[in-house]
Structures are given as structure tokens and as C-alpha cells.
Amino acid sequence: MLNQKMIGFGITLALFFLSSCGGNSKAEQTPIDPATEVINQKVEKTLSQLTLEEKVGQMTQITMDVISKGESIFVSDEPLELDDKKVIEAIQKYKVGSFLNTANNRARTPEKWNEIISDLQKVAMKEVGIPIIYGIDAIHGTTYTAGATFFPQPIGMGASWNKDLVRQMAEITAYETRASGIPWNFSPVLDLGRDGRWARMWETFGEDVFLVSEMGRETIRGYQGDDNDVSKKGRVAGSLKHYLGYSSYSGKDRTPAYIPERQLREIYLPSFKAAVDQGAYTVMVNSGLINGIPVHANKRLITDLLKNELAFEGLVVTDWADIENLHNRDKIAADQKEAVKMAVNAGIDMAMVPYNFNFTTNLIELVKEGEVNISRIDDAVRRVLKVKYALGLFENPTTEIDDYKEFASTKSEALALATAEESITLLKNRKKVLPLSKNAKVLVTGPNANSMRTLNGGWSYSWQGEKVSEFAEGYQTILEAIEEEIGKSNVSYVSGLEYKMDGKYEEEQNINIQGAVKAARNVDYIILCLGENSYCEKPGDLVDMDISENQQALAQAMAATGKPVILILNEGRPRLISRFEAQMDAVVQTYLPGNFGGVALANILFGDVNPSGKLPYTYPKYPNSLLTYDHQPSENQEKMEGVYDYESSFEIQYPFGHGLSYTTFEYSDLVVSKNEFDADDKLDVSVKVTNTGNRAGKEVVQLYTSDLYASISPSVKRLRRFEKIELAAGESKVVNFEISARDLAFVGLNNEWISEEGDFIFRLGNLEKQVKLTETKVFDQFPSLNL
Ligand code: BGC
């Protein structure tokens, strides 16, 4: 399959990827751009000069802990200092070609980052003649650099449903990351957040494949530029993660998932395909297992599907310690050496080892013993070198910090505030209690009311986010922002309960519910801030999806005061609130809005900003009703006269795509250009949206379709298009979407994208229209991967 998008970009440097597989028919058909050709020649020349040891070193990535002084950087508060002897050992002896680091400490300014990375580059250029590539998780801004601009976590970016904002967020993140001397970002997360219990839910853009694909593509455009020339100032190479099917079936992180190939192709693959087509340079592999096989050992997924079928010619990196896990955790390799053989032969190009050099020594032996072919090593190293050349690292291994005067500029911070405002989602607003008057007297309470840590979540200054309060002193918590908004004299604060800083993230202490009840007597409204403390990955595994018992008790006590309660949710995943939600007058979801989340929320609560976020997932009501909006009909059994005299429905708290505004929008004039269409037709779908309220507002126009009957029981509805528009009071706009039969296709029984003839319903707002597809068409057919 030819990578059309990349070709479309004409001069793109990404094109060089296409030309590199000798004998590949794609390469023969593709016109090679001169810049690509130049890079290819350089790569081949460099490769031809490398020894086996140097090649294997290029495939090795080590964490900074291995080459730095003192205690582990994960716990240290001291400025990180390289240990020269260890650096020499890693680079001179083992020829290590890549480093990563996820910790932070006080001195990690852009200058400090540049100093560390330039020290490593000097040694690498002297000893090996090839620059190292440094990678980091800058998933909501450059979150390991002190002073950088922090955006909402991806779940909030998804809730903004604003593609422009997502692209601009990625541009600023790329700029500030490169300003810190780091050219490689382990982002975007293109997994789907389809299980509200999962500790990585907030790292995703939500539960829907179309929404995630759109946001993922915009992120890559922002990181790499439209021409994918990442040698330009302020750009980084993105990494699509975690390929493929990283999801939760038990609610816990990194546990086995069972996904039939059809579902893998229809639901989990498209977000990766869209970003590969956009020209993404690197992919990180899913740490979990699919159908019993760890993805890191699955050649069918890595080589056959990603590298061959999707024509991905970039670099595939493992996740943290996941080659070792084939032996240590998953028990499919009898020893570490066998694990290395499995992963490299499956198609891994670089190992995030991260703590030792066993990968390097084992792989050298495996090549010498003929267990791993040298052509596989050459393929891997070619991919690594191409990324390094594309980033311009050979010419400029370090960043000129003076070129980056816009680091954390006022403009960037204003954008971060705007994204936080657009992500915050008004879920309930009984009797229009919101917005509040600025003369109102309020009690602010709850463990999330006065915490920068909870506003940011994990991947913020440190992996688990536990250092946020030290670094984010200059920003405002919810309490501080409300005090500034309406004056301290109008605000009472009693936390009611607090998170333990050293305990498990869901534990609370200092329980003072009575204090909050007392304080409520003197106010007009209660702003109750509940949710979760920060966490990341496995340590965030849950045993109980309900919001904690202490928080439920606080909510019930607040409701019992008789004062109107505004519930603010500040959480990475939808913790159940059904035991007290009916007693809340308003509910506002902030997700993890970042450093500007407090101000953004205050602007919304007191009416300076009209909320426009929409839920990017289905908010569940009960632990045994965890379904996504695109479920199949049998999940929601309605009564049917003479057939079923019972119903079995799953109830939800709030639906996917839901979010209120302070104004009202009316949908009218839904037009679909044809009543009947064939498989090659394009349909124009349009709808008029009018702001019928008395203030300006933004609306996300969402087009869903339902296939009424299909050979595989169809989803009740699927999101096909969306657009966020802004309307002044009284203003109308017509929104147009183009859609074809291919957009309505599903993956059928024979592993093919197929649209079947029959009736479809198109839904926009409260309007719907039925149209008929007059023929069945198979669009693409794939050989089974036998997963
Ligand atoms: C996570 C990845 C991350 C990597 C490096 C892993 O534990 O699963 O998402 O990129 O660590 O920090």
C-alpha cells in the first residue's frame, strides 16, 4: 500500500523512509525527493562503516540513572550530575546510542537540560561519531523542564474537540522540548480509553477511534510540521504509542487483552494508521499482551502489520523494560537472551532496556551465533540513523538555547489557558445555577480544592506527579483562582479532607467534614472539589471504581446542608458518583487541566467564559455497566411487545459527547444530498446551528451514523465527523460534512473493510435522516494475521 499522505507532502523529508527497502515495489513507484536521497546516501555510508558492536549500540536505550551520580534520580532532590566514568562506559564500551529519563529535580531548566545533553553528545561524537538521541515523555507540554508551559492532559485535549488547539499545543510542546535540547517525544498516546477503570485513561484522547485518530494526527502535525522536516527549529520526532491494542480488560494496567483481528483493525488500528500516514517518525510498542502473546514478541503485529502493511519505515522502540519482561513477567522466554532474540526478530529496532547492558551483549552474541540475522540488525540501525539524520543531529547535536526566546512565552501560556477552558465540561446545571454571581459567598472544600498536583496528574515534573507542588508554586489552585476572581472576603475554605502525600493515592487524611459543614452555614454556594490524587501507570491500578468513601461522605454532608452544591470533578478517569450525584446542583468535569486549570475553572464558574467541552468518554453510573457509546444493540435490551416483556438496560451517568453551555443551540435544516447513494458516491451532509440564547458560545457539531442491519451486529451509532464552531448570540451557521460509503464501512468476516447495502441513519443534534446505500462494496481486503 502506497503511503499517499506522505507523497502528497511533496518535499517531505519523511519521504526518504519510502525509498529505503531494497526490492520493495513501493519504492520503485515512488518518486524520490532529492533531500530524501541525500539522507539515504548518508545513512548507507554511515551504516557501512559501523562494526557489529556499534550497530547494536545504536539499538540500545538506557535511562539516565545508569550514568548519573548519587541516589536514583527518581528520588533525588539534588541537581542531576553525570558520572563521567559511567558515561564513558555506556558510550565508549557499549556504544549506547540513546538515553531517556523520566525523573526531575530542582535544576532542570532548559539550560541545565542542554548542558547535560551536550555533554553526552560530545562524548558520543568523539567515541562513535554518531549523535545520541534523547527521548522524553512530554505528553501535556514539556513537563520535565522547570518553567515550561503545561497544557491539559490528553483526555482534556480530547474533551476540547478542538483540532486547532491540539495542533498548537503540540507546536508549543515541540518548541519547548527542543529548547531543552530534546529532539524526541514519546507522544502522542493513540490508545483508546475504553475502560474507565484504567489508570492510563487520562493519557488518551478518549474512547472513540475517530476522535482519537483526528487528535493524534493533529499532534503529529504540531510536533513534526506539515512537511515532517524535523531538522527545523522547534520540531521534534513524535512517537505513536502504545502500538497496538493497549487497553484494559480487567481494569488494571498491562494485563492481557483479548481482541479479535476484526476489532483490532476497526477500532484500535486506525489512530496509528492515520498518524503513520501523516509521517510519524517513531512508534512505541504496547507493554501488554494480546490474545496471550506479548506484543513485543509479536512479529505479525510489528513487522507484518506495522512495517509491511502500513508501510511504516520509521523506528520501533520498546516500552520500559519490555524485552526483559518477556522473561521476567510474561514467561514466554526461558532467559534474557531468548527474550532479546524474540523481540528483535519480531521487528524491534531499539530497546528501552533501561538499567543495564545485557541487551547489547546478548544481541551481539545472538548475531554471532546466527540466531539473529545481520540484515535484521541493518534494518533496525538504518531506521535509527534515518531519524537521527532527519532531526539534523549530525550537523547540530545540541540546541542553541539563544534561538529559543519564546520558551514559556505569555502567548504560549495564554494558549494553555484557552485549552483548559475549552476542555472543561459542564455535565449538569440544574435550574441554571451556574454561572455564579461574583458577589456570591462561597465555601470551597474537598481534597482537590487547593492542589496543583491534582490539577496536573502524572507525567508532571516527575512520573507520578508527586513533586508538582514544589515546581508549580507560581500557578493558582482552584481555591486561589476563585479567591482572585471574587475576592478573598467572599471565599471560605475548609478542605474537609486531604490526600496523604506519602500513602496510596486514593487514601485521604485530616478528615474534617464537620468543619466544612459549619463553614457552609455562612455561604450561598458550596464548591465541592473531588476526584483523585496524581498517579501514573501500574501504581494507579484501582480496586474500587467508586469515588472514595470519605469523599462520598463529604459530598453527602455538603448536600445535607441544604445549600446548592457545585461538584467539581478533577480526576483522570470517571470515578463513580452515582450515590450522591442526584443531590448535586451542578457538575463540572475539569479532567486534569494542568497549571492553568484553576484559573480556567474560575473563569467558567463565574461566567467570564462559556463552557464548551464535551465528554470524550461515556461516564458510567455503576461498576457493572462499563460500556462505550458505540456498543452493540444487545447491550441495551429494550422491551419489545410480544417478544421481550422485560428490559435490561445499562444506565450511564453522562453520555459520550455530552457537555452543556450557558447558551442554547438549535439544530435545523438537516440535509443529506441524496436519499440513495452508491458505494462511490460522496454525500454532502449539512445542518444549520443557531445560538438561541443570549450570549456567545461554542458548540461541537457531531455527526453520527447508525447502520440499521449488517452481517456483524452493528454499533448502535458511530461518530463520523465533528466540528467545533463559535456562534454569537442569535447567530446561525451551516456546517457541512462530506461523507462516503467508505466512511461507513466496518471490518467484515473476511478481514475486509466493507460497506453493506441497506439503510443508514445520519444524526446531528436531535435531527436524523435515513438514507439508503444501494450496493455492497469491499474496499480493502487483508490476509489474516492469525493473531
Ligand atoms: C510507559 C511509556 C513511557 C515510557 C518511558 C513506560 O513505562 O508505558 O508510556 O513512554 O515508560 O518513560
Side-chain angles (χ1 to χ4, degrees):
M1 191 183 21
L2 211 59
N3 197 331
Q4 295 298 345
K5 269 275 166 41
M6 286 165 124
I7 295 164
F9 291 134
I11 57 143
T12 163
L13 267 187
L15 252 176
F16 68 72
F17 285 145
L18 292 175
S19 64
S20 66
C21 340
N24 185 327
S25 60
K26 271 193 327 292
E28 283 148 25
Q29 296 161 11
T30 309
I32 296 171
D33 132 275
T36 303
E37 190 52 30
V38 170
I39 287 187
N40 279 339
Q41 285 167 5
K42 287 182 180 171
V43 166
E44 290 310 320
K45 188 163 174 223
T46 306
L47 184 66
S48 70
Q49 292 163 350
L50 298 183
T51 61
L52 174 60
E53 287 70 18
E54 286 166 340
K55 288 179 182 175
V56 170
Q58 288 302 308
M59 297 171 67
T60 307
Q61 186 181 59
I62 297 292
T63 178
M64 290 297 277
D65 243 346
V66 175
I67 54 167
S68 52
K69 285 187 185 159
E71 320 178 76
S72 161
I73 48 173
F74 285 94
V75 293
S76 173
D77 269 338
E78 296 306 311
L80 182 136
E81 240 188 287
L82 292 174
D83 182 324
D84 294 343
K85 260 170 77 186
K86 291 178 181 168
V87 171
I88 292 288
E89 186 191 28
I91 298 180
Q92 189 190 64
K93 182 163 174 205
Y94 292 103
K95 324 283 181 205
V96 170
S98 183
F99 293 88
L100 87 155
N101 161 245
T102 56
N104 193 23
N105 54 52
R106 258 173 245 292
R108 204 57 75 82
T109 57
E111 288 76 16
K112 182 68 187 174
W113 268 114
N114 274 296
E115 191 187 305
I116 294 167
I117 291 170
S118 99
D119 284 351
L120 291 176
Q121 293 296 29
K122 276 181 209 145
V123 181
M125 293 312 278
K126 176 162 174 266
E127 298 295 340
V128 191
I130 299 178
I132 58 117
I133 180 168
Y134 203 101
I136 200 118
D137 298 273
I139 79 161
H140 68 123
T142 303
T143 49
Y144 290 101
T145 301
T149 311
F150 280 34
F151 291 83
Q153 294 281 4
I155 197 69
M157 299 304 306
S160 77
W161 295 62
N162 187 328
K163 289 188 268 186
D164 281 346
L165 281 183
V166 169
R167 199 193 59 256
Q168 291 176 63
M169 171 279 299
E171 281 166 5
I172 291 169
T173 303
Y175 182 94
E176 297 188 5
T177 302
R178 201 78 197 242
S180 309
I182 302 171
W184 187 14
N185 191 2
F186 302 139
S187 164
V189 171
L190 298 182
D191 313 317
L192 306 190
R194 290 173 78 78
D195 185 329
R197 298 167 298 178
W198 190 27
R200 305 198 77 170
M201 182 81 188
W202 51 272
E203 294 184 54
T204 75
F205 292 116
E207 75 182 31
D208 177 67
V209 52
F210 183 71
L211 179 61
V212 173
S213 304
E214 294 289 296
M215 296 314 198
R217 191 194 292 117
E218 291 306 313
T219 309
I220 288 298
R221 288 181 66 202
Y223 289 160
Q224 301 188 173
D226 274 340
D227 59 2
N228 289 306
D229 182 352
V230 286
S231 69
K232 286 187 181 151
K233 179 177 151 191
R235 294 190 179 172
V236 294
S239 192
L240 316 179
K241 69 187 194 184
H242 307 79
Y243 176 86
L244 176 68
Y246 189 23
S247 51
S248 147
Y249 270 55
S250 62
K252 312 271 187 194
D253 188 32
R254 291 171 156 83
T255 46
Y258 293 89
I259 312 178
E261 186 173 336
R262 262 192 295 116
Q263 204 186 10
L264 208 59
R265 286 182 177 280
E266 187 176 322
I267 303 291
Y268 294 97
L269 189 60
S271 52
F272 287 90
K273 181 176 180 334
V276 165
D277 288 352
Q278 183 59 38
Y281 280 92
T282 80
V283 167
M284 187 188 292
V285 176
N286 167 9
S287 192
L289 301 85
I290 294 180
N291 304 338
I293 302 174
V295 181
H296 282 79
N298 196 329
K299 184 164 187 272
R300 290 167 186 177
L301 287 179
I302 300 173
T303 299
D304 300 348
L305 182 55
L306 177 65
K307 292 186 171 177
N308 295 340
E309 192 184 306
L310 294 196
F312 175 68
E313 309 271 347
L315 143 67
V316 177
V317 63
T318 72
D319 201 343
W320 186 268
D322 273 322
I323 296 185
E324 295 181 346
N325 278 337
L326 298 178
H327 169 71
N328 294 344
R329 185 191 69 187
D330 297 324
K331 317 286 179 204
I332 64 159
D335 54 33
Q336 290 299 345
K337 192 163 163 183
E338 194 183 1
V340 172
K341 176 178 151 185
M342 283 178 170
V344 174
N345 283 339
I348 292 296
D349 302 315
M350 183 186 282
M352 189 186 287
V353 184
Y355 283 112
N356 56 57
F357 303 102
N358 296 345
F359 168 82
T360 321
T361 43
N362 280 329
L363 187 51
I364 292 168
E365 279 177 31
L366 286 162
V367 176
K368 289 184 176 158
E369 290 158 7
E371 298 288 339
V372 174
N373 202 306
I374 191 69
S375 62
R376 177 69 271 277
I377 301 291
D378 285 348
D379 172 51
V381 178
R382 229 175 238 126
R383 290 165 183 267
V384 174
L385 292 177
K386 282 173 182 172
V387 177
K388 290 185 175 181
Y389 273 113
L391 283 162
L393 294 177
F394 282 83
E395 298 79 27
N396 299 305
T398 50
T399 295
E400 278 306 325
I401 185 83
D402 288 345
D403 290 346
Y404 286 82
K405 301 252 185 284
E406 300 300 311
F407 181 88
S409 68
T410 319
K411 209 168 136 208
S412 303
E413 297 206 337
L415 193 89
L417 173 62
T419 53
E421 288 168 347
E422 287 217 15
S423 69
I424 292 176
T425 308
L426 178 60
L427 296 172
K428 176 178 178 182
N429 196 13
R430 192 155 64 197
K431 295 195 193 143
K432 297 202 173 135
V433 61
L434 292 179
L436 301 177
S437 146
K438 290 189 188 176
N439 298 319
K441 295 220 172 296
V442 301
L443 166 66
V444 179
T445 184
N448 295 58
N450 197 22
S451 163
M452 288 312 301
R453 174 175 173 179
T454 63
L455 288 178
N456 279 290
W459 299 124
S460 302
Y461 304 106
S462 70
W463 181 43
Q464 296 291 319
E466 80 286 356
K467 294 185 179 175
V468 172
S469 51
E470 282 175 46
F471 286 91
E473 269 169 355
Y475 303 96
Q476 289 180 326
T477 64
I478 295 174
L479 171 67
E480 290 161 349
I482 292 176
E483 284 176 343
E484 181 163 316
E485 179 84 17
I486 60 170
K488 274 196 173 176
S489 58
N490 282 333
V491 183
S492 310
Y493 170 61
V494 177
S495 70
L497 47 119
E498 286 159 18
Y499 293 112
K500 269 190 187 168
M501 292 310 279
D502 52 351
K504 280 199 72 178
Y505 71 88
E506 72 260 40
E507 286 173 348
E508 293 115 12
Q509 61 184 8
N510 297 335
I511 300 164
N512 178 18
I513 294 178
Q514 276 322 308
V517 169
K518 220 167 127 195
R521 284 189 202 132
N522 308 318
V523 301
D524 306 316
Y525 298 96
I526 298 169
I527 299 177
L528 170 64
C529 306
L530 303 183
E532 300 186 306
N533 204 359
S534 70
Y535 55 84
C536 202
E537 301 184 47
K538 198 79 187 155
D541 276 358
L542 272 185
V543 289
D544 183 358
M545 199 185 181
D546 264 304
I547 207 158
S548 76
E549 284 181 14
N550 290 331
Q551 297 198 40
Q552 290 179 42
L554 180 62
Q556 270 147 0
M558 290 301 96
T561 64
K563 296 285 164 76
V565 184
I566 319 296
L567 171 62
I568 308 300
L569 294 169
N570 170 209
E571 56 186 7
R573 61 193 142 187
R575 301 297 292 268
L576 303 185
I577 53 170
S578 53
R579 297 202 172 140
F580 59 86
E581 195 268 355
Q583 301 163 62
M584 301 291 110
D585 293 274
V587 181
V588 182
Q589 173 63 281
T590 65
Y591 314 94
L592 303 173
N595 277 337
F596 297 91
V599 177
L601 176 68
N603 288 343
I604 286 176
L605 290 178
F606 296 94
D608 298 336
V609 169
N610 193 352
S612 63
K614 303 275 179 187
L615 265 185
Y617 53 72
T618 307
Y619 205 117
K621 199 164 181 180
Y622 302 111
N624 206 20
S625 288
L626 304 182
L627 284 172
T628 49
Y629 85 94
D630 53 355
H631 58 80
Q632 290 172 301
S634 63
E635 295 284 8
N636 210 10
Q637 184 61 66
E638 288 171 7
K639 267 192 192 167
M640 201 183 256
E641 196 77 11
V643 184
Y644 318 110
D645 58 359
Y646 56 85
E647 63 175 21
S648 167
S649 58
F650 74 96
E651 286 185 54
I652 54 169
Q653 195 75 63
Y654 309 110
F656 172 79
H658 168 71
L660 304 169
S661 166
Y662 294 154
T663 186
T664 43
F665 298 101
E666 196 180 282
Y667 285 68
S668 62
D669 306 332
L670 169 58
V671 179
V672 181
S673 55
K674 295 181 178 172
N675 290 331
E676 296 196 344
F677 64 111
D678 67 38
D680 299 313
D681 273 341
K682 296 237 182 286
L683 293 176
D684 293 314
V685 183
S686 67
V687 73
K688 188 168 157 192
V689 186
T690 305
N691 181 346
T692 50
N694 52 15
R695 63 175 291 173
K698 291 184 180 167
E699 168 71 338
V700 181
V701 182
Q702 304 166 39
L703 170 63
Y704 293 90
T705 64
S706 306
D707 189 349
L708 294 191
Y709 297 93
S711 55
I712 291 172
S713 179
S715 293
V716 292
K717 62 176 187 169
R718 290 286 298 272
L719 179 71
R720 300 302 186 189
R721 295 284 186 276
F722 64 87
E723 193 179 325
K724 193 164 195 177
I725 55 168
E726 181 161 22
L727 293 173
E731 192 188 359
S732 297
K733 262 185 197 159
V734 175
V735 178
N736 297 290
F737 298 112
E738 192 184 83
I739 202 152
S740 67
R742 175 64 180 81
D743 295 312
L744 308 176
F746 60 94
V747 177
L749 282 173
N750 300 315
N751 234 8
E752 77 283 38
W753 279 97
I754 182 171
S755 294
E756 291 176 347
E757 67 173 298
D759 291 326
F760 289 81
I761 293 185
F762 284 58
R763 300 174 203 277
L764 273 149
N766 54 345
L767 306 175
E768 56 180 61
K769 195 156 171 38
Q770 190 162 329
V771 291
K772 186 183 281 302
L773 175 62
T774 54
E775 58 176 346
T776 293
K777 180 163 176 178
V778 170
F779 292 91
D780 301 290
Q781 178 119 32
F782 306 100
S784 167
L785 293 164
N786 293 318
L787 294 170

